[in-house]
Amino acid sequence: MSDGLEEHGRGTALVVLTPGGLALARRLAPRLPRARVHVSGRLQGMPADVRFTDLGCHVRDLFAGGTAIVGVCAAAILVRALAPLLADKDREPPVIALAEDGSHAIPLLGGHRGANRLALRIAEATGGAAAITTGGDVRLGVALDDPPAGWKVENPKAAKTVAAALLADKPVRLDVEAGDPGWLSAAKARWDTRASLAVRVSDRSGVPSEGELVLRPPTLAVGVGCERGTEPDELAGLVGRVLDAAGLARASVAVVASIELKADEPAVHAVAADLGAPARFFDAHRLEAETPRLENPSALVFAEVGCHGVAEAAALAAAGPDAKLVVAKTKAKRATCAVARAVAIDAGAVGRPRGRLWVVGTGPGAPAYRAPEADRVLGHATDVVGYGPYIDLLGPAARGLRQHAFALGEEQERCRKALELAAAGGAVVLVSSGDPGVFAMAALVFELLDGAGDKAWRRVGIEVVPGISAMQLAAARAGAPLGHDFCAISLSDLLTPWEDIERRLIAAAEGDFVIALYNPASRLRRGPLTAARDILAARRPADTPVVIARNLARGDESVEVVPMHAFDVSRVDMLTVVIVGNRRTRALRRGGRCWVYTPRGYATAAAGDDP
Ligand code: SAH
């Protein structure tokens, strides 16, 4: 059984606030998986791997990024900091409170997701105690309802009865029909073949009997093939019939395997999701190596896809060299299925998953303005691709990922790299600042897919994760200037002819839209902004509010509101977004500051429409 700690790809953060805590953390760090010491900025001059200013924000960022947290501080500090974020116990990283003198390590969250094991490891190093609070698993040595990766529990309710019996030192039977039950030998149990209560380890289908806990080891690989566009129901029906006829348990299916050409076939993924097993893919060359073990090699299949069988070969390739084909190729109208069986199948280690590309918006700057969904997908990624400073903005959320940083201007290179990595089976995040669909990378990804790119790109699963765009944060800072119809115009004439930009500016001004100006100017490109200001000034009242928002959520943020007649274009650079109000936009002094809003028209509607 893997000890589970290394599974936390994001490593461990030892978070310290005091000199005593720092000394303890330094001693522990070399003994914990990929541990780094995070030190409060209040401890000036003390060595640190990472520094933070606000403990609450920092701990929340680490948590959202999936990093295991060991806080050398009061448990309550961690509880209060993380309380608003607790949502999904199956995804969240382990969190441990550690007393500054090392006497107690308390797993607060994720006991069965590594926190108990991490606390035990810390206690071993400090000579202190791990305050384990989850059920009887420590006394028992194993958690029967939380078996190793790949295993499933057929009837979790029975786990309590059986564990209670074992804890009370009552005898329990252990029946092993399949799989490698090695991890159960860690249980401090009195196994007795005559006992009536039982743990059965089996991949045979059938309903558990009274007093029997059935554990399903990952022993089966289902190989599938199908024509393009096969209905998911047809393939699922075939797989279900095949497993039932062979008396095999669905929960023991460790993997659904096929040929790489099928990596984007919805039916294959639907069947895998149905069975709760990952889908993995092999190239034709790898499948061809299985030909000597096939029961139904086919020259026809070879002519079509370059290997003598798909379903049988994929099942065998996934189940490994010692596997047996337990169900040979079985056909439905448009699909085939075969099953191979082995002692233990580690699905994560065979073939490749379908490549994934998430085009993610990081928001304007600080992580507080980034969607939790962005952090969630970063937690699943293997690679992150983007403009270097935007990757840096991700901070701890990008740690542990392979980073591919590109320079400004290398937009196509970034997209190609991201697609290539994903086509090779990677789980890739391509980052954009703000929203990835607003003057950013998402459109370019689809443009490349629409063109004559690599064929393997087409099989990549793509998702776009939105972010807060610069105009949204600028608007929020200023009040509500986008309260009525608005548009966004990029003033960059690198890709768009100036005549088009000019035409849109005039049309937007005449349509009385509120206008957000992106890419307003760079050091050398000043002309378009001056021209835009002149176009808008000629069509708007001189006191129209203009919002000049610079470096939003990035440290030295500034937001200014000026009337149109005082709009000084020299105050605008590449890191600025400008919002120009429409004829109704108003500036309002309240609470010692200036707000800008564009009325939605309630006042006039009330007066006019409702006599
Ligand atoms: N996808 C981004 C826009 C990229 S275009 C988004 O949705 O925000 C780059 C332009 O966006 C910059 O020239 C600037 O006009 C604006 N911008 C991006 N981030 C900004 C920030 N933090 N503060 C102010 N403007 C920003």
Side-chain angles (χ1 to χ4, degrees), residues 144-454:
L144 288 175
D145 57 353
D146 180 33
W151 286 64
K152 293 189 187 115
V153 184
E154 181 78 40
N155 52 339
K157 279 201 182 125
K160 281 209 166 47
T161 321
V162 172
L166 287 171
L167 284 167
D169 208 27
K170 291 194 183 134
V172 173
R173 222 168 61 233
L174 178 62
D175 299 333
V176 178
E177 294 168 7
D180 172 7
W183 62 281
L184 282 168
S185 62
K188 297 183 193 82
R190 204 146 66 81
W191 302 118
D192 185 334
T193 49
R194 290 157 309 174
S196 54
L197 285 177
V199 173
R200 185 154 67 91
V201 178
S202 170
D203 59 7
R204 302 264 140 215
S205 53
V207 183
S209 43
E210 183 72 26
E212 183 182 63
L213 169 69
V214 176
L215 300 178
R216 299 298 190 192
T219 54
L220 306 175
V222 170
V224 294
C226 65
E227 287 173 25
R228 176 60 62 197
T230 297
E231 283 295 321
D233 283 352
E234 180 180 341
L235 188 60
L238 172 67
V239 171
R241 283 195 304 280
V242 161
L243 290 171
D244 291 347
L248 296 170
R250 289 164 201 234
S252 269
V253 174
V255 59
V256 173
S258 190
I259 189 166
E260 216 153 72
L261 285 172
K262 296 285 148 202
D264 60 341
E265 191 68 53
V268 176
H269 290 281
V271 167
D274 236 27
L275 291 169
R280 309 286 298 196
F281 302 90
F282 297 91
D283 61 24
H285 186 249
R286 173 67 189 85
L287 294 183
E288 182 58 7
E290 295 294 338
T291 306
R293 295 208 281 171
L294 302 186
E295 280 191 25
N296 299 287
S298 154
L300 208 68
V301 174
F302 180 78
E304 241 173 67
V305 295
C307 54
H308 280 81
V310 171
E312 289 183 2
L316 286 164
D322 300 326
K324 295 254 173 321
L325 199 60
V326 287
V327 182
K329 179 164 89 174
T330 308
K331 279 184 167 175
K333 213 163 106 224
R334 306 180 68 196
T336 57
C337 167
V339 185
R341 187 166 185 237
V343 174
I345 299 173
D346 177 1
V350 299
R352 281 180 185 170
R354 179 187 193 187
R356 309 209 48 175
L357 174 57
W358 291 286
V359 192
V360 170
T362 60
Y369 290 103
R370 187 164 74 227
E373 179 65 2
D375 287 307
R376 194 185 70 77
V377 302
L378 279 160
H380 290 278
T382 53
D383 295 79
V384 58
V385 180
Y387 174 47
Y390 293 162
I391 295 181
D392 296 343
L393 276 179
L394 293 173
R399 218 164 276 145
L401 302 183
R402 281 188 292 272
Q403 304 194 354
H404 311 268
F406 286 80
L408 208 61
E410 295 178 326
E411 281 80 17
Q412 296 218 36
E413 288 81 351
R414 274 179 243 165
C415 282
R416 284 179 200 285
K417 181 72 181 180
L419 281 162
E420 263 158 32
L421 290 166
V428 183
V429 165
L430 173 63
V431 288
S432 267
S433 80
D435 183 272
V438 175
F439 307 123
M441 307 303 284
L444 184 48
V445 167
F446 291 110
E447 223 176 302
L448 289 176
L449 279 178
D450 202 7
D454 187 328

Side-chain angles (χ1 to χ4, degrees), residues 470-471 474 516-518 520 547-550 552 573 575-579:
M471 69 178 167
L517 299 173
Y518 280 74
V547 180
I548 305 169
R550 189 171 182 282
L552 290 159
D573 67 3
L575 271 168
T576 310
V577 66
V578 176
I579 299 178

Side-chain angles (χ1 to χ4, degrees), residues 129-153:
I132 308 285
T133 56
T134 48
D137 57 336
V138 165
R139 270 194 293 151
L140 196 56
V142 296
L144 288 175
D145 57 353
D146 180 33
W151 286 64
K152 293 189 187 115
V153 184

